[in-house]
């Protein structure tokens, strides 16, 4: 994947730590140059396959190895997904993001079913996003043919700190998946999480990695960790609103044309705090009472906040035209029965091991 590093870690740390009023002003100036400051893209996340994930992401309640209250469920049917999408559309969402608790996409009936979901939702004139784990170039092209607008695959953290939170997939595999998506006309959504014990240098390095991708991701979610009982990160302290504001503002300056999404953790933010994030450059949110399995503000609360702040929901396909949906029978790309050998790093995560010992 082509990269062009334009920022040093020292420069980004200095930016992140500058006096807050100056940082807000600088970020808001960039934001107004590239975006309408009163428009916010609204997405709804649907968990089409919940729980039972074989990964060991220390923050995630869907990992099968952790004892959380998440019940494993099979893949939703098409009618259920369409119904939820129509409700979301009526509530002001322009994008549906379908999430499946998979390590990676596997060719076969379940992936074929997801492709039909993409076709169905694109015909509803909504932007369709998927987050399904790692995927091959052929799988990315099949999603593109179905009419997928965006693919989400978060980096989560910097390459260095990543080793402290995940051991079942490599950082390079995440970058490879993004590269596979870039070989299609599907846009990229990729961001990370703060509040997992990382330092500011780690946060800076994650943003530098995202900013160095050519082209830069069209969407970058900034998540605040929501500590979930039963996961190795259940005792982590919630990040402050000032950390979120600084992260959003820094992301806006490094990624000027990207839509920066204020994502997980909004239930812990006041309206005033969220307003500061919007001023700093956030111009996308997830709405709906859940983000996969974690709580999120209700749609009515968000729309009331928009009214108070004078914000309006961005219409679908304002940033890029609607992709064409190619019928299954006319598809150029087909099931290859691929079984790629995605890597499994050898390192051990002490936090996760300690949690497993406590659970015995």
């Amino acid at each position: 994947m082509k990269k062009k590093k334009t920022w040093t870690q020292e420069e980004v740390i200095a930016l992140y730590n500058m006096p807050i009023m100056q940082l807000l002003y600088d970020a808001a100036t960039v934001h107004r140059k590239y975006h309408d400051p009163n428009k916010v893209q609204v997405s709804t996340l649907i968990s089409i396959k919940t729980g039972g994930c074989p990964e060991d992401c220390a923050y995630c309640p869907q990992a099968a190895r952790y004892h959380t209250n998440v019940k494993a469920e099979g893949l939703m049917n098409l009618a259920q997904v369409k119904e939820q999408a129509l409700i979301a559309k009526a509530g002001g969402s322009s994008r549906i993001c379908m999430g499946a608790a998979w390590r990676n996409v596997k060719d076969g009936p379940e992936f074929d079913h997801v492709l039909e979901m993409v076709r169905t939702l694109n015909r509803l004139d909504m932007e369709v996003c998927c987050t399904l784990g790692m995927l091959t170039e052929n799988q990315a092209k099949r999603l593109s043919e179905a009419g997928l607008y965006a693919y989400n695959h978060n980096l989560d953290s910097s390459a260095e700190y990543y080793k402290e939170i995940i051991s079942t997939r490599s950082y390079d595999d995440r970058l490879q998946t993004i590269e596979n998506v870039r070989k299609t006309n599907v846009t990229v959504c990729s961001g990370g999480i703060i509040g997992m014990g990382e330092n500011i240098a780690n946060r800076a390095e994650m943003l530098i990695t995202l900013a160095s991708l050519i082209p830069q991701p069209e969407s970058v979610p900034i998540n605040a960790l929501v500590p979930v009982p039963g996961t190795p990160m259940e005792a982590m302290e919630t990040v402050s609103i000032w950390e979120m504001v600084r992260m959003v503002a820094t992301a806006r300056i490094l990624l000027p044309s990207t839509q920066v999404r204020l994502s997980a953790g909004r239930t812990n933010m006041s309206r005033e705090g969220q307003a500061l994030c919007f001023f700093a450059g956030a111009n996308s949110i997830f709405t709906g009472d859940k983000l996969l399995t974690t709580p999120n503000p209700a749609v009515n609360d968000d729309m009331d906040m928009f009214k108070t702040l004078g914000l309006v929901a961005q219409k679908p396909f304002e940033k890029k035209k609607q992709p064409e949906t190619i019928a299954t029978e006319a598809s150029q790309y087909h099931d290859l029965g691929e079984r790629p050998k995605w890597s499994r790093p050898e390192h051990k995560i002490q936090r996760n091991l300690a949690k497993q010992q406590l659970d015995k």
Side-chain angles (χ1 to χ4, degrees), residues 207-259:
L207 291 178
I208 289 170
T209 299
L210 292 167
S212 299
L213 298 177
I214 302 174
Q216 293 182 337
E218 286 81 359
S219 177
V220 169
I222 302 297
N223 296 274
L225 176 71
V226 178
V228 178
T231 66
M233 291 189 171
E234 62 185 356
M236 299 298 289
E237 289 187 17
T238 303
V239 298
S240 72
I241 186 59
W242 301 113
E243 291 175 275
M244 284 297 292
V245 169
R246 288 185 180 279
M247 193 67 180
V248 167
T250 306
R252 169 49 65 222
I253 294 170
L254 267 67
L255 300 145
S257 62
T258 294
Q259 294 211 267

Side-chain angles (χ1 to χ4, degrees), residues 214-322:
I214 302 174
Q216 293 182 337
E218 286 81 359
S219 177
V220 169
I222 302 297
N223 296 274
L225 176 71
V226 178
V228 178
T231 66
M233 291 189 171
E234 62 185 356
M236 299 298 289
E237 289 187 17
T238 303
V239 298
S240 72
I241 186 59
W242 301 113
E243 291 175 275
M244 284 297 292
V245 169
R246 288 185 180 279
M247 193 67 180
V248 167
T250 306
R252 169 49 65 222
I253 294 170
L254 267 67
L255 300 145
S257 62
T258 294
Q259 294 211 267
V260 177
R261 177 172 293 131
L262 195 58
S263 198
R266 284 201 302 123
T267 52
N268 296 320
M269 301 178 200
S270 67
R271 285 191 177 183
E272 294 83 357
Q274 292 180 70
L276 278 176
C277 288
F278 291 131
F279 184 77
N283 61 343
S284 180
I285 62 168
F286 277 121
T287 194
D289 60 0
K290 273 192 177 182
L291 296 184
L292 297 180
T293 59
T294 54
N296 195 55
V299 175
N300 290 343
D301 290 342
D302 283 333
M303 293 304 103
D304 187 53
M305 176 178 66
F306 275 29
K307 183 177 179 180
T308 299
L309 300 178
L311 300 175
V312 295
Q314 178 181 299
K315 295 185 183 304
F317 312 115
E318 282 195 20
K319 296 292 185 179
K320 183 180 178 180
K321 70 177 184 179
Q322 183 174 6

Side-chain angles (χ1 to χ4, degrees), residues 7 74 105 108 114 139 159 171 235:
W7 292 86
V105 174
V114 172
Q139 290 164 344
Y171 206 75

Side-chain angles (χ1 to χ4, degrees), residues 1-2 5 58 109 111 113 115 133 168 202 216 226 239 268 276:
M1 180 179 296
K2 289 183 178 180
K5 186 173 181 179
F111 184 43
H113 188 54
L115 292 171
T168 50
N202 298 141
Q216 293 182 337
V226 178
V239 298
N268 296 320
L276 278 176

